[in-house]
Amino acid sequence: MPAPAYTVTFLGTSSGVPTLQRNLSSVAIQREGELFLFDCGEAAQIQYRRAGLGFAPLAGICVTHLHGDHVTGLMGLLMSLQMAERIEPLAICGPPGIREYVRLNRRALHTRFAYPIQFIEADTAAVLREADGYRLLCAPLEHRLLCLGFALMEKPRPGRFNLEAARVLGIPEGPLYGRLQSGEPVSLPDGRTVLPEQVLGPPRPGASVAFCTDTRPCAAAVDLARDTDLLIYEGTFDASSATEAHRKGHSTVAEAAQIALAAGVRRLAITHLSPRYRDVEPLLEQARAIFPNTLMARDLMQLEVYRRDEEPAGRP
Ligand SMILES: [Zn+2]
Ligand SMILES: [Zn+2]
């Protein structure tokens, strides 16, 4: 059975202050051998350990904005990586100011990090990392201060190998199949050249996940989330509190659902819930009335995101 493209682990799903059930904003997304942490609220590293995530695959930390509930866990985590004798480089992405935040804290605490930290600051839509199989993107959202949404987008993969077409073309079985599958033209023993498109089906879309918090409903969030397999979006307030939500730079759960609908995503997970809601079931109903494939994130909840052509049968 194919492995999921991403495993998403919610480490903190509260807003403003932690509760006994919900820690502050943080979500870990694993893709193949790499793990990215999005936001690093207080106690993110405790939750990280609780979820059984190792430090070794941690490739980068993306901080949405410099409100305390999204960043106060960062220094503790960086110090633990130092204690663990990390030597691998670490990327820290965020709005301008994130580098200074770390530098000031490091100086005030008389601490140092032996592993290299690569800071990537962005204040406009940008590609933060261009890797072999995916891109990490960001775009400014609409909050009370500069706040970035992020998305991990896999690049399209080569189409499926058509054995029948390969036999008809008389390609000898073996290494030539592999080279064609990886997109290389090959020469046959009789001198003919076969192009990959002669034996491959149409390119298959990759999987994608977007993370948008904190924000009022905005076009930038719709653009970033367009056609993603999973949108993680804030729903700080219930549907009746739109005025308060917008004044504070946030969205309601109904607006989260409208963004998901407008962006044509496959699944919506709502996070960054106000601690005033003990029971989030009514909020879930409000969102599902607009976008049925919605769930409320909980701390330590894990979601698997499959590529569309690899989805196990019977999944929502
Ligand atoms: Zn927040
Ligand atoms: Zn905020």
Side-chain angles (χ1 to χ4, degrees), residues 15-16 65 69-70 214 250 272:
S15 69
H65 65 302
D69 55 330
H70 296 255
D214 299 355
H250 291 296
H272 199 268

Side-chain angles (χ1 to χ4, degrees), residues 15-303:
S15 69
V17 293
T19 69
L20 294 179
Q21 289 75 36
R22 294 181 186 273
N23 281 274
L24 290 176
S25 181
S26 189
V27 59
I29 304 185
Q30 279 168 283
R31 182 189 174 275
E32 294 179 358
E34 288 184 313
L35 187 151
F36 287 92
L37 199 59
F38 293 90
D39 273 342
C40 198
E42 183 184 329
Q45 65 165 319
I46 308 278
Q47 295 290 79
Y48 193 101
R49 289 168 203 263
R50 234 174 229 145
L53 305 170
F55 282 148
L58 182 62
I61 303 173
C62 299
V63 174
T64 56
H65 65 302
L66 289 165
H67 272 156
D69 55 330
H70 296 255
V71 74
T72 44
L74 182 59
M75 285 307 293
L77 177 56
L78 296 182
M79 288 188 272
S80 292
L81 295 177
Q82 172 68 16
M83 299 282 276
E85 299 180 351
R86 182 184 178 101
I87 47 169
E88 298 81 16
L90 179 75
I92 297 183
C93 310
I98 188 70
R99 175 201 289 266
E100 185 66 0
Y101 174 81
V102 172
R103 192 185 70 85
L104 287 174
N105 274 278
R106 196 176 49 69
R107 274 183 50 182
L109 301 174
H110 300 277
T111 190
R112 56 180 285 282
F113 304 123
Y115 53 94
I117 299 180
Q118 183 201 9
F119 287 95
I120 307 170
E121 296 186 335
D123 57 4
T124 54
V127 178
L128 300 171
R129 175 178 289 219
E130 178 85 54
D132 266 358
Y134 69 91
R135 287 191 186 96
L136 171 62
L137 312 172
C138 75
L141 304 175
E142 274 185 43
H143 193 40
R144 305 200 304 278
L145 75 180
L146 177 60
C147 179
L148 299 174
F150 296 100
L152 279 168
M153 302 263 180
E154 282 189 335
K155 298 174 183 176
R157 295 157 301 135
R160 286 197 190 284
F161 196 86
N162 184 338
L163 271 180
E164 192 47 41
R167 287 201 189 107
V168 170
L169 286 165
I171 306 168
E173 275 184 49
L176 293 181
Y177 279 22
R179 286 170 52 196
L180 284 162
Q181 175 70 71
S182 65
E184 241 183 272
V186 298
S187 302
L188 301 188
D190 62 13
R192 283 180 299 142
T193 298
V194 178
L195 303 172
E197 50 269 34
Q198 291 178 268
V199 293
L200 298 183
R204 294 169 294 162
S208 50
V209 180
F211 179 64
C212 296
T213 191
D214 299 355
T215 186
R216 298 179 188 97
C218 63
V222 176
D223 286 344
L224 193 65
R226 190 160 323 273
D227 294 329
T228 52
D229 297 281
L230 173 68
L231 168 62
I232 303 165
Y233 189 95
E234 74 141 281
T236 312
F237 297 102
D238 73 282
S240 70
S241 306
T243 309
E244 180 184 4
H246 299 171
R247 193 178 68 243
K248 295 179 172 170
H250 291 296
S251 302
T252 68
V253 291
E255 289 164 338
Q258 280 153 0
I259 295 281
L261 193 64
V265 308
R266 293 177 80 202
R267 197 160 36 148
L268 168 67
I270 295 179
T271 188
H272 199 268
L273 297 147
S274 164
R276 75 175 65 163
Y277 305 108
R278 290 258 177 94
D279 176 13
V280 298
E281 204 56 32
L283 280 73
L284 178 60
E285 282 168 24
Q286 292 169 2
R288 280 191 175 160
I290 297 162
F291 189 80
N293 202 2
T294 300
L295 55 86
M296 285 295 184
R298 280 180 283 105
D299 280 27
L300 300 180
M301 173 191 269
Q302 230 166 37
L303 297 177

